[in-house]
Amino acid sequence: VVGNHVGNPSSSNDYSIFTPFNRSQYYHDCKVANCPSSCNIEDWSNQNQVELCRLEGLPDLNQSVSFVGNTLNSWVKNYVVTKWKADGIRIDTVPEVNKAFWASFQSAADVYAVG
């Protein structure tokens, strides 16, 4: 599973195509985060940049926004585990998300997790 980013909205940054994360405030703001001009992660030794900037242009979800964090936690619990019967999950892009979020995500999933 990926709890960090979504598909590319094109050069116009039209987030309305991403349900339920269809508003710009659900993503890290490249300017506020002091990302490089490309908005992409360029220095993998800079944890702030790794957590707040984009991976190859993919919009970076801001899990500290309660709607985003709660929605991701609900998704993993209600869909991945309950509906789809996963008894374990592999979490991708772990270094690119604030560590505190992963604790709540794994708690919500309540199954074996590796990542």
Side-chain angles (χ1 to χ4, degrees), residues 40-93:
N40 290 323
I41 302 166
E42 293 179 4
D43 180 1
W44 288 92
S45 66
N46 179 334
Q47 190 59 33
N48 190 61
Q49 196 176 110
V50 171
E51 289 181 14
L52 303 177
C53 303
R54 293 179 176 193
L55 175 64
E56 297 301 319
L58 299 173
D60 194 69
L61 288 166
N62 186 347
Q63 296 81 5
S64 68
V65 173
S66 61
F67 175 79
V68 175
N70 292 339
T71 300
L72 290 170
N73 287 340
S74 175
W75 169 76
V76 76
K77 178 181 179 179
N78 297 324
Y79 287 91
V80 175
V81 174
T82 302
K83 183 176 182 177
W84 299 324
K85 309 289 189 220
D87 59 0
I89 54 175
R90 178 188 171 274
I91 304 171
D92 195 19
T93 65

Side-chain angles (χ1 to χ4, degrees), residues 47 51 63-64 69 73 94-108:
Q47 190 59 33
E51 289 181 14
Q63 296 81 5
S64 68
N73 287 340
V94 168
E96 297 166 39
V97 177
N98 181 288
K99 290 169 186 49
F101 171 73
W102 288 131
S104 71
F105 189 79
Q106 186 171 0
S107 178

